[in-house]
């Protein structure tokens, strides 16, 4: 029987990175084994492309990656025979989002987005250092913003965005204006590309996440792995999916589950 090709798709914060200081070292043994076996590790996060590039550089990761909760997939040059790096957007591009927001501002909507702030302003507002603020500003498909108008006008603003096929999602501190997409869209797309790339060889997709934000990405995989965390009990997958759940949180749990799966598949 042909050994299947494995593909790992992983969330970052609270999954491969711990919540205390966003480090991945506890997962080093599993990461090393993936590297030795040539198994692609696709990072899929709410982070921006520069933020994910920084993590990829630390990990020595060369696989495609998914940014801003599924806004776009970045495919490095040479991955699928492409000569240059490719960016594939799902839903609206950031330029489209900014154009709609500019029209809404003209119509009287009051808000302040990342585009309106300097890196220094954003750093002061968020507590990030300026370099990190610069990376947070460099976006491919979403625009975080602070609503500055009266509460009663917010619903009208949301409706106006919906008419342009955009949505307004409330985050911790910011609202996020974005197209209609999910972390699963990029995962589906890349799984299709890898299946094409590997030809006749079967491909088994393993997805790891720790919160309801990862739900659809986990459902889209052959093997969903729920990493223990504050909101991991809220991830309820269909029983037919036979989800694996880690006993330990963050990168410790990630390491354990990935090593077990590699052993199971003979890697």
């Amino acid at each position: 029987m042909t050994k299947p090709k494995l593909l790992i798709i992983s969330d970052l914060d609270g999954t491969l990175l711990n919540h205390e200081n966003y480090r991945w070292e506890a997962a080093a043994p599993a990461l090393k084994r993936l590297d030795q076996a040539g198994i692609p590790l696709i990072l899929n996060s709410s982070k921006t492309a520069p933020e994910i590039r920084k993590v990829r550089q630390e990990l020595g990761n060369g696989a495609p990656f998914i940014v801003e909760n599924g806004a776009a997939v970045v495919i490095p040059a040479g991955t699928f025979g492409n000569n240059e790096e490719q960016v594939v957007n799902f839903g609206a591009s950031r330029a489209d989002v900014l154009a709609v927001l500019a029209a809404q501002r003209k119509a009287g909507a009051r808000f302040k987005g990342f585009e309106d702030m300097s890196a220094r302003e954003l750093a002061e507002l968020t507590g990030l250092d300026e370099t990190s603020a610069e990376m947070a500003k460099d976006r491919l498909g979403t625009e975080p913003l602070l609503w500055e108008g009266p509460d009663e006008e917010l619903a009208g603003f949301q409706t106006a965005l919906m008419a342009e096929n955009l949505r307004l999602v409330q985050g911790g501190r910011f609202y996020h204006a974005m197209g209609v997409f999910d972390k699963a869209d990029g995962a589906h797309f890349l799984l299709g590309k890898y299946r094409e790339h590997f030809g006749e060889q079967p491909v088994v997709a393993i997805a790891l996440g720790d919160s309801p934000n990862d739900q659809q990405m986990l459902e889209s995989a052959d093997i969903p792995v729920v990493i223990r965390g504050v909101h991991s009990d809220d991830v309820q997958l269909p029983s037919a999916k036979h989800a694996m759940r880690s006993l330990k949180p963050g990168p410790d749990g990630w390491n354990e589950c990935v090593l077990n799966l590699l052993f199971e598949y003979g890697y």
Side-chain angles (χ1 to χ4, degrees):
M1 195 177 118
T2 317
K3 189 157 74 169
K5 286 280 189 185
L6 300 187
L7 194 64
I8 311 268
I9 303 160
S10 179
D11 171 52
L12 282 175
D13 296 354
T15 301
L16 178 54
L17 305 181
N18 66 33
H19 269 312
E20 296 74 54
N21 57 0
Y22 302 105
R23 299 306 302 162
W24 50 266
E25 279 78 3
L31 288 163
K32 188 179 178 184
R33 285 274 293 281
L34 290 179
D35 196 38
Q36 287 167 341
I39 295 168
L41 168 60
I42 293 157
L43 304 179
N44 188 354
S45 167
S46 60
K47 292 183 186 297
T48 64
E51 288 170 328
I52 296 179
R53 282 185 208 279
K54 187 171 178 250
V55 178
R56 284 170 78 251
Q57 199 174 0
E58 286 184 24
L59 297 174
N61 181 294
F65 54 101
I66 303 163
V67 305
E68 297 167 48
N69 282 327
V73 165
V74 181
I75 304 171
T79 308
F80 302 117
N82 46 312
N83 294 328
E84 295 175 353
E85 182 177 273
Q86 291 176 339
V87 174
V88 181
N89 271 87
F90 297 91
S93 68
R94 185 169 186 229
D96 296 336
V97 173
L98 292 176
V100 171
L101 289 175
Q104 285 308 305
R105 181 172 272 148
K106 257 188 179 164
R110 283 185 283 159
F111 57 86
K112 189 171 195 175
F114 277 21
E115 181 72 0
D116 307 311
M117 301 180 208
S118 67
R120 178 172 288 182
E121 275 180 277
L122 185 59
E124 282 170 7
L125 185 65
T126 57
L128 294 169
D129 60 71
E130 270 191 56
T131 307
S132 301
E134 202 66 71
M135 291 197 289
K137 275 171 58 63
D138 189 351
R139 312 185 79 82
L140 290 172
T142 59
E143 176 67 352
L145 53 90
L146 291 169
W147 177 250
E148 294 182 331
D151 288 351
E152 59 271 18
E153 286 177 19
L154 184 60
F157 178 59
Q158 282 179 294
T159 305
L161 292 186
M162 278 165 68
E164 297 288 345
N165 216 20
L166 298 183
R167 59 201 172 116
L168 195 65
V169 176
Q170 188 162 12
R173 179 180 303 192
F174 300 97
Y175 285 94
H176 297 258
M178 59 176 76
V180 181
F181 51 76
D182 183 86
K183 287 177 90 167
D185 294 334
H188 274 303
F189 172 78
L190 284 173
L191 187 52
K193 295 290 276 184
Y194 273 105
R195 287 207 161 118
E196 219 174 274
H197 183 63
F198 291 133
E200 295 299 299
Q201 253 188 307
V203 178
V204 171
I206 298 164
L208 300 101
D210 73 320
S211 73
N213 189 34
D214 302 311
Q215 177 95 22
Q216 286 181 279
M217 173 186 81
L218 290 164
E219 283 184 22
S220 72
D222 300 303
I223 301 175
V225 181
V226 182
I227 299 298
R228 190 175 166 192
V230 183
H231 301 292
S232 57
D233 287 348
D234 298 333
V235 180
Q236 295 300 325
L237 296 161
S239 56
K241 273 289 172 193
H242 304 297
M244 181 185 260
R245 286 183 181 264
S246 76
L247 298 173
K248 296 172 184 173
D252 289 289
W254 196 99
N255 185 60
E256 206 168 54
C257 290
V258 171
L259 285 176
N260 284 339
L261 287 164
L262 290 176
F263 177 75
E264 198 178 312
Y265 281 96
Y267 281 93

